[in-house]
Amino acid sequence: MKQVTRVVLALVVTGALIGCTNPEPLADVDKQTAKRLVQVTAGHGSAGNALLEGPTFGPDGKLYLVDVTAPAGAPKVMRVNVDTKTVETIFTDATSAYTSAQFSPIDGRLYLTNVAGGRIDSITADGSDHRTVFSGDVEGEQMMPDDLTFDNNGTMFVTDIIGFLDPVNPNRGRLVRIDSATGAVSVIADQLESPNGISFDTDVSNLWVSQYGANRIDYVELNDDRTAVAVRRPAVYHDGGISQIDSNAVDSDGNVYQALHRRPAIVVYDKFGNYLTTIEIPVGDASGLDTATNIAVLPGTTTAYMTVSGDDGGYLYTFEALAQGIRQTNGG
């Protein structure tokens, strides 16, 4: 229990666990200001700030998301009607710290990474039938699953941020594969610096992986059956000062949306690593909100939403994406 508390407290302080250098200009005329849609949750008092993550549209057209730092009994998985701006709780428990959410393309269930418990859980869209899909050690060490993504067969690829709390040896992060057919678990990349965001490209062939500790997005090419890494290379460096990269998402044109911790903004790059734009919140909101963790784009449209959190609570903001939403622009 002490370890769980330590992890959750670290999340409050550091945010959701969470080529060529193409630094984004600080005064870019193409910057977009997102509009506040709705407050999803307040802060948690002595338990710390709210920290929204994992926004993903469900089959009902509602937006599902998690609050990483929610204390026992507080809303941990919620869904938002973005038209009526109403929020409802669909799941809570006493111990979990969910850092991401994504619907499986195979069984339609919502999968949740529990970074504090080293588990991956799933629930139905109404929050019932809670199951633990994976728990236990991975190659002799407990995983700290942060974000996940699915291939078209339902196989999970998970970023393991183990080493995040280790100032001496932080390069212990891993990329873990969980086979949908057999349940077999394998490490396909290791010695990563706190890997956080993970999304497939538009072909669902290769991965974009954001390393929180390195402030770098890697492009990870997989072999033909996606059982191993063929090539991994740096793709984009984030020259962000005190800010660090968090989750990521990919739209129908292959653009990569990179969320930021310690700066409530989303930076967008094309698939060649060229900087495109930054989505920010209004200046007047920024004093009480310091982190943008992720985005979701309504499939088939460019209507996008970003999760933003800080001392003032957890909020949804809306903006126009550069291209249409797909599965890779939802959750993870």
Side-chain angles (χ1 to χ4, degrees), residues 2 16 24 31 33 62 67 76 87 95 112 125 127 136 172 195 205 217 239-240 249 274 281 309-310 312 332:
K2 289 182 179 179
E24 57 271 17
K31 284 185 178 180
T33 301
K62 295 181 179 179
D67 184 353
K76 297 199 173 186
V87 182
T95 60
L112 308 159
R172 295 165 51 211
S205 300
I217 308 171
D239 297 329
N274 297 308
I281 65 174
S309 304
D312 287 351

Side-chain angles (χ1 to χ4, degrees), residues 151-170:
D151 69 10
N152 291 334
N153 298 323
T155 290
M156 282 185 283
F157 294 79
V158 184
T159 50
D160 176 12
I161 61 159
I162 189 169
F164 169 74
L165 298 177
D166 186 348
V168 177
N169 184 26

Side-chain angles (χ1 to χ4, degrees), residues 65 78 295:
L65 70 171
M78 294 155 283
I295 71 160

Side-chain angles (χ1 to χ4, degrees), residues 111-282:
Y111 284 71
L112 308 159
T113 51
N114 182 354
V115 68
R119 302 194 317 267
I120 298 174
D121 298 334
S122 76
I123 55 176
T124 61
D126 64 3
S128 63
D129 192 25
H130 178 273
R131 304 175 189 173
T132 294
V133 178
F134 173 82
S135 64
D137 290 351
V138 176
E139 297 188 1
E141 197 163 18
Q142 180 175 301
M143 179 167 60
M144 292 178 63
D146 188 46
D147 285 11
L148 83 160
T149 190
F150 290 95
D151 69 10
N152 291 334
N153 298 323
T155 290
M156 282 185 283
F157 294 79
V158 184
T159 50
D160 176 12
I161 61 159
I162 189 169
F164 169 74
L165 298 177
D166 186 348
V168 177
N169 184 26
N171 301 341
R172 295 165 51 211
R174 302 179 292 184
L175 182 57
V176 176
R177 180 184 185 273
I178 304 176
D179 191 272
S180 60
T182 66
V185 180
S186 58
V187 175
I188 60 173
D190 59 10
Q191 298 183 9
L192 306 179
E193 294 188 56
S194 301
N196 188 319
I198 183 169
S199 298
F200 270 102
D201 58 14
T202 54
D203 295 331
V204 196
S205 300
N206 304 308
L207 296 163
W208 296 97
V209 177
S210 303
Q211 294 194 61
Y212 178 90
N215 255 0
R216 188 182 77 228
I217 308 171
D218 286 358
Y219 189 60
V220 180
E221 296 188 30
L222 303 175
N223 63 356
D224 289 343
D225 61 2
R226 297 181 298 281
T227 58
V229 171
V231 179
R232 175 171 64 89
R233 60 179 177 274
V236 177
Y237 290 90
H238 172 62
D239 297 329
I242 67 169
S243 66
Q244 291 178 276
I245 60 175
D246 205 294
S247 299
N248 65 42
V250 174
D251 68 19
S252 60
D253 281 354
N255 301 315
V256 180
Y257 295 70
Q258 181 58 63
L260 301 180
H261 170 56
R262 296 195 184 97
R263 180 185 175 192
I266 307 292
V267 183
V268 188
Y269 302 93
D270 69 16
K271 63 183 179 180
F272 300 108
N274 297 308
Y275 167 77
L276 298 177
T277 190
T278 300
I279 299 102
E280 298 180 317
I281 65 174

